[in-house]
Amino acid sequence: MSITDPPVAVRPAKEPGRPRQILLASLGNAAEWFDWTVYVTFAAVLGPQFFPSGDGATNVLETLSVFAVGFLFRPVGGLLIGAYCDRRGRGAGLRLSLLLMAGGSLLIALAPAHRTAGVLSPALLVAARALQGLSAGGEGTAMSTYVIETAPRRRRGLYSSAIYISTTLGTLTATFLALLLRNTLTPDQLADWGWRIPFALGALFASYGWWMRRGVRETPAFGAVRERAHRPAGEVLRAYPRRVVRVAGFTLGATVVYYTFAAYLPLYAQVHDGVPADSALWASVAAQVVFMAALPLLGMATDRFGPRPMLLVFGGGFVCLTPVLFAVMSGSAVRLFAVMAAALLLFGCYATAAPAATSQMFPTAVRSTGVGLPYALTVALFGGTAPYLNEYLAGRGHAAWYPWYVVLLAAASTVFFLRFRGTADADLTAVEDTGRAGAGDGGTARG
C-alpha cells in the first residue's frame, strides 16, 4: 500500500512573511540547542555533583554516559513528535518540543546533588535528559520539515541554512555563558551552585521560544493535506522502507561528525591535550562564528548546484581528511580552532543540502514521521555515543582508532549520496506551482 498526496492544483495566497516565519521558528531552535549543548559544555563540572567517584576522568565518562542516555530517547521523540506534526501541524510540533526541553532543563537546575539526595540525584538527571531527548528528537524533524515546506522551491538550500545558523547560535550562547561563569565565579562557587545557572536560563529561553512560536503559521503544504493527515506512523515503515533506510544512511556519517567536531572536541582538547579550558572554548567560539558566516553561502551553492554534489563534498571530504584533522589538532588552541573550522565548513555542505534531500523523499502527510524516526534513531545510536566512544578509546590507549571510525561511517553515508538522484517532491511543488500534480510514492526517487 502506498501513501500518497492527491494532486493540489490551487495556488495559495502569496505569503510575504516567509522570512519572519523562519525567524520565529529559528529563535525557538536556538533556545532548544542552547539547552541541549549546555549539558556537555558543563560535563566536567556536573560529574562530581551527580557521580562523586573521586576520579575526574571517571566523572566525565559517567556524565557523558547520561548524555548518551538522552540520545536514546531521541527516536521516541522523533516518532511521537513526528507523528504529532503529521496530525496536528508543524507549528504544533515545534511548540511541543520546546515545552519538553524547558521541563528537562528546569529539572536539572533544581536537582539536588548526590551528597544531598544520594542515588535520587543521578536518577533525576537521567529523567531530565530523557525529557530533553524526546524534545531534541522531535525538534530536528519539525524544524527541518517546517523550513522546507515554507521555503521557495529554488531557495531551499538558503532557507535550510537557518536551521544550523540557529543551532549554532544556541551552541555559541552556551559557550559564552560557560566562559562568563568560569571567569566570574571561583571554582568552588561554580561547583556549589554556579552550574545551575545555565540550566535555569535554558528553561527560561525555551519558554520564551515557545511563546515566540505561537506566531508561527502552518505551512501551505500541510494545510493542503490536513484533513487526510491521520495515518498511523507504522504505515511509513510499510510503505517506504527503502526511503527510511536512505534517511538513516544520509545521517550516519553526519551525526558522528557533528557531535565529534562541534560538540565534543573542545572537551577532548582540555582533557587529553592539555589545552586550557578558556582557550579551548574561545577556539570553539571562533570556529562556530566562521561556520555561521559560511552557511548562507553554502546554502546558495546548494541551490545552484543541487543537494547531491554538496553531500558528496561533505562525505568525500571526511573520508579523506578525518585522520589528518585529528593528527594536527593536539596541544594548541590555534590548531583546535583550525580543525574545528575546517570540519564545520565541510559539515556545512551537508547541513544546507540534507534537509531538502531527505524531506523530498516523503509526501507531506507523513513527511515528519518519515524523516524524524530514522534520523533520530541514527543520531541516538551513533551521534549520542560518539563522545563516549572517543573518551572510552582514549582512556584505554586507543585514541588513534576513533578517526578511522569516523572515516568508516562517512564512507557509508557517501555510498548513499552516490545513489541519490533526487525525488519528484510533487506535492511540495504543487503548492507553489499551479497545475503541478502530486505524485506521492510514485515519484522518481531512485537509489
Side-chain angles (χ1 to χ4, degrees):
M1 177 179 175
S2 173
I3 303 172
T4 61
D5 290 334
V8 182
V10 179
R11 179 194 290 270
K14 185 178 181 181
E15 297 181 33
R18 278 173 171 166
R20 181 174 181 275
Q21 295 299 300
I22 297 299
L23 176 62
L24 292 176
S26 296
L27 289 174
N29 194 52
E32 176 93 10
W33 294 106
F34 170 88
D35 287 38
W36 186 255
T37 306
V38 152
Y39 184 90
V40 74
T41 304
F42 285 86
V45 181
L46 285 175
Q49 307 306 314
F50 293 92
F51 306 99
S53 67
D55 183 336
T58 302
N59 285 340
V60 171
L61 195 61
E62 290 172 332
T63 308
L64 289 176
S65 71
V66 178
F67 182 70
V69 165
F71 277 83
L72 296 179
F73 286 85
R74 288 187 65 156
V76 182
L79 175 62
L80 296 181
I81 298 182
Y84 187 75
C85 286
D86 286 335
R87 290 182 174 91
R88 299 293 301 275
R90 315 318 189 198
L94 287 170
R95 290 186 289 274
L96 176 59
S97 71
L98 277 175
L99 283 178
L100 293 172
M101 185 60 76
S105 293
L106 184 61
L107 184 56
I108 296 176
L110 299 177
H114 189 279
R115 64 178 178 272
T116 302
V119 71
L120 177 63
S121 177
L124 289 174
L125 184 65
V126 170
R129 287 303 289 176
L131 283 176
Q132 292 186 326
L134 292 172
S135 171
E139 174 71 17
T141 183
M143 182 67 181
S144 177
T145 303
Y146 184 82
V147 168
I148 292 302
E149 292 183 358
T150 301
R153 180 160 54 97
R154 291 181 176 85
R155 300 183 70 188
R156 288 176 186 158
L158 178 60
Y159 274 56
S160 292
S161 68
I163 299 172
Y164 274 94
I165 288 175
S166 55
T167 297
T168 307
L169 180 61
T171 303
L172 277 175
T173 305
T175 304
F176 275 122
L177 183 58
L179 285 167
L180 178 64
L181 292 177
R182 288 179 185 279
N183 286 280
T184 57
L185 300 178
T186 67
D188 288 342
Q189 289 174 328
L190 190 61
D192 186 29
W193 53 266
W195 61 270
R196 298 182 185 276
I197 295 175
F199 296 100
L201 288 175
L204 181 63
F205 293 160
S207 299
Y208 179 71
W210 171 85
W211 184 81
M212 292 291 291
R213 281 180 171 178
R214 293 189 309 162
V216 166
R217 286 197 302 262
E218 195 48 75
T219 66
F222 180 78
V225 301
R226 180 186 293 272
E227 298 304 318
R228 295 171 295 279
H230 300 286
R231 299 182 178 92
E235 292 203 27
V236 172
L237 298 176
R238 291 195 294 271
Y240 302 101
R242 294 180 64 186
R243 299 188 186 191
V244 168
V245 172
R246 192 177 300 137
V247 171
F250 272 45
T251 309
L252 190 62
T255 187
V256 172
V257 162
Y258 184 77
Y259 282 100
T260 297
F261 289 98
Y264 172 67
L265 214 58
L267 178 62
Y268 180 89
Q270 294 172 52
V271 174
H272 298 286
D273 289 335
V275 178
D278 282 3
S279 299
L281 290 173
W282 278 116
S284 175
V285 166
Q288 290 178 73
V289 168
V290 171
F291 177 53
M292 288 177 65
L295 277 170
L297 299 177
L298 293 171
M300 289 187 281
T302 297
D303 291 330
R304 172 67 178 84
F305 300 108
R308 185 171 180 267
M310 302 296 284
L311 293 170
L312 289 173
V313 169
F314 158 78
F318 277 103
V319 167
C320 297
L321 296 179
T322 297
V324 177
L325 292 173
F326 272 89
V328 302
M329 181 187 66
S330 59
S332 164
V334 174
R335 291 185 178 185
L336 174 63
F337 159 74
V339 168
M340 287 188 68
L344 286 172
L345 287 174
L346 270 179
F347 177 80
C349 297
Y350 173 91
T352 56
T358 55
S359 292
Q360 292 172 26
M361 295 178 188
F362 299 92
T364 302
V366 294
R367 181 169 292 121
S368 291
T369 307
V371 175
L373 177 59
Y375 171 81
L377 181 61
T378 307
V379 171
L381 292 176
F382 296 94
T385 57
Y388 184 89
L389 177 62
N390 198 350
E391 191 73 23
Y392 178 86
L393 291 174
R396 282 155 180 74
H398 301 305
W401 293 5
Y402 186 78
W404 295 105
Y405 172 73
V406 178
V407 168
L408 177 64
L409 297 187
S413 286
T414 302
V415 172
F416 283 91
F417 301 153
L418 286 168
R419 294 173 59 84
F420 176 67
R421 293 296 185 275
T423 64
D425 78 313
D427 62 310
L428 278 173
T429 305
V431 173
E432 291 192 353
D433 298 332
T434 304
R436 296 288 186 114
D441 198 42
T444 60
R446 287 178 283 176

